[in-house]
Amino acid sequence: MLCQLGGRWLRPLPALQLGVRVPPLAPTSTGGIKHSALPAWAVASVSAVGSGGPGSWYEALATSAPVQGAEEVLLGVHTATGLPWWACIGLTTVALRGAVTLPLAAYQHYILAKVENLQPEIKNIARHLNQEIAIRANQLKWSKRAARLTYLKNMRRLVSELYVRDNCHPFKATVLVWIQFPMWIFMSIALRNFSTGATHSEAGFSVQEQLANDGILWFRDLTALDSTWILPISVGVINLLIVEIFALQKTGMSRFQTYITYFVRAVSVLMIPVAATVPSSIVLYWLCSSFMGLSQNLLLRSPRFRRLCRIPLTKSDSDTPYKDLFAAFYAKFISRT
C-alpha cells in the first residue's frame, strides 16, 4: 500500500502496517552518558499506539499530555531548586495545593455558605407552596400523586431561581473535586514513570537513578516500596483525620451523607495496603498531599481566614472552631474509652 508525501510515493514500514509494536531504538553511548536515539516522548508514544493489549489504556494515560505536564513541573522544580527528590516532591505538592486547591477550597466554602444561608428562605417557600398546592388540589380534586409532582416541580423551579439570584448553585462547589482528583492522578502517574525508569531527564540520564539515592530517613530509595509501612499507615491516618473532622463539623447528617462518610472511611483504610504496593516516591506525594488537605481543612475553619476570603458568615460558624473541634473529638473518641 503506497501513500503520497511531498510529491513522492512512499511505502509504509511493514511493522507499522501490520499493527506490530515497534521496540524503541537502543540508546547509544556518548562520553559515558547514554542517550536515546529518539526523544522519550516519541518512544513512549510509539509504544502506546502499538500496544493492543489490555494495558494499552494505561500506556496512553501514562504518556498523555497532562502526565507529561506533571513530569515537566517536577523536573522544572528539581532543576530550578537543586533540592533532593524527596524535598522536591514535597515542595511541588505544597506549591500545587497552595496555588490551586486552596483557592478552590475557599471558593467551595463560599458557595456552601451562601447555600446554607438560603435554607431559611427555602423552608419558608416550601411551607407556603405546600399550603398553596393543598388548596389547589382540594379545589381541582387532584390525586395525592399529582399534587406531589406539582409541588416538586414548582419547588425545584423556585429553588433554582434562588440559586441563580445569589449565584450559588451547589454544583459550583464540586469544582474542587474535578480539579483536585485529576491532578492527583496525573502527579501519581508521573512519579510512577520516574520510579520505573520510563522517563528521562533533559540531561539524558535516568530520573530513576536519582530517585534511588535521593530519599531520606528510612526510605532512602524512593523507587522501592516502604517495607516498614510507616508511610502507607501515615497516609491512611491523615485521611481518616480529614474524614472525622468533616463528620464532627456536620450535625444531623442525612442518611446519604452518613453512607458517604462510611464509604470514604473505608477508602481511607484501603489506601494503606494500596500505598504499600507502590514506590515510596508516590506514597510520599500522597502523604504530603493528604497533610496539605488536613491543613487546609483546619485553616478554612479559622474565622479570620474566612473573613479574608469573604466567605459569608453562617449560623453554624463558631468563634472558637478549634476549641469546639477538640471538645467534639475528645467526647467522641477519648471520653468513651
Side-chain angles (χ1 to χ4, degrees):
M1 179 178 180
L2 299 177
C3 60
Q4 189 174 14
L5 179 63
R8 299 177 60 188
W9 291 93
L10 303 176
R11 182 179 301 276
L13 293 176
L16 294 179
Q17 186 175 4
L18 296 175
V20 179
R21 181 173 179 176
V22 180
L25 297 180
T28 59
S29 177
T30 304
I33 300 177
K34 292 183 178 180
H35 295 275
S36 175
L38 289 176
W41 63 267
V43 176
S45 299
V46 171
S47 300
V49 172
S51 174
S56 60
W57 68 269
Y58 179 81
E59 292 183 7
L61 178 61
T63 57
S64 62
V67 173
Q68 292 179 7
E71 293 174 358
E72 292 298 326
V73 168
L74 288 164
L75 288 172
V77 172
H78 184 258
T79 302
T81 62
L83 294 171
W85 270 106
W86 70 266
C88 179
I89 292 172
L91 177 61
T92 305
T93 306
V94 171
L96 288 176
R97 295 282 299 201
V100 179
T101 62
L102 180 58
L104 290 176
Y107 179 71
Q108 180 187 58
H109 281 250
Y110 172 81
I111 294 296
L112 293 177
K114 296 185 75 171
V115 171
E116 182 178 344
N117 288 335
L118 278 178
Q119 294 310 305
E121 188 173 355
I122 292 176
K123 291 180 180 179
N124 187 44
I125 291 175
R127 185 174 64 254
H128 285 86
L129 180 62
N130 192 30
Q131 294 174 354
E132 183 178 345
I133 292 295
I135 294 174
R136 296 287 293 177
N138 188 42
Q139 291 176 346
L140 300 176
K141 307 300 182 183
W142 288 348
S143 64
K144 290 184 177 181
R145 183 176 181 276
R148 182 65 178 172
L149 291 176
T150 303
Y151 169 81
L152 293 175
K153 179 181 178 180
N154 284 275
M155 192 63 198
R156 280 195 294 266
R157 176 179 58 82
L158 293 171
V159 171
S160 179
E161 290 175 358
L162 290 179
Y163 290 154
V164 172
R165 185 197 70 186
D166 288 7
N167 193 22
C168 63
H169 196 284
F171 183 77
K172 293 183 177 181
T174 65
V175 174
L176 174 62
V177 177
W178 301 117
I179 299 297
Q180 179 175 317
F181 186 68
M183 185 174 70
W184 184 83
I185 292 292
F186 298 146
M187 288 291 292
S188 299
I189 296 177
L191 287 169
R192 184 187 182 279
N193 289 345
F194 286 166
S195 300
T196 58
T199 303
H200 292 71
S201 69
E202 295 177 354
F205 52 89
S206 175
V207 180
Q208 184 183 26
E209 298 175 3
Q210 302 175 32
L211 289 172
N213 299 289
D214 266 0
I216 193 176
L217 300 176
W218 68 91
F219 51 100
R220 297 286 180 179
D221 185 356
L222 292 175
T223 65
L225 309 182
D226 182 10
S227 58
T228 67
W229 281 57
I230 296 177
L231 288 177
I233 292 175
S234 299
V235 171
V237 169
I238 293 179
N239 286 335
L240 283 174
L241 280 175
I242 295 174
V243 177
E244 295 308 323
I245 288 175
F246 173 81
L248 291 173
Q249 187 179 7
K250 298 293 182 180
T251 57
M253 289 194 299
S254 65
R255 181 177 297 181
F256 177 75
Q257 290 176 324
T258 302
Y259 289 155
I260 291 296
T261 302
Y262 279 114
F263 173 76
V264 178
R265 283 177 181 147
V267 171
S268 300
V269 174
L270 288 175
M271 280 295 293
I272 297 176
V274 172
T277 62
V278 298
S280 297
S281 59
I282 301 177
V283 190
L284 178 61
Y285 166 66
W286 291 355
L287 178 62
C288 294
S289 180
S290 297
F291 182 78
M292 284 298 296
L294 176 62
S295 302
Q296 289 179 7
N297 272 274
L298 294 174
L299 180 61
L300 285 166
R301 294 174 68 93
S302 169
R304 182 177 300 179
F305 186 77
R306 292 176 71 87
R307 287 194 299 269
L308 180 64
C309 297
R310 298 183 179 180
I311 299 175
L313 187 66
T314 65
K315 289 181 63 177
S316 62
D317 288 343
S318 171
D319 295 330
T320 57
Y322 303 116
K323 183 180 179 180
D324 297 342
L325 178 62
F326 177 78
F329 190 87
Y330 181 85
K332 183 175 182 179
F333 297 105
I334 301 178
S335 63
R336 291 183 178 181
T337 58

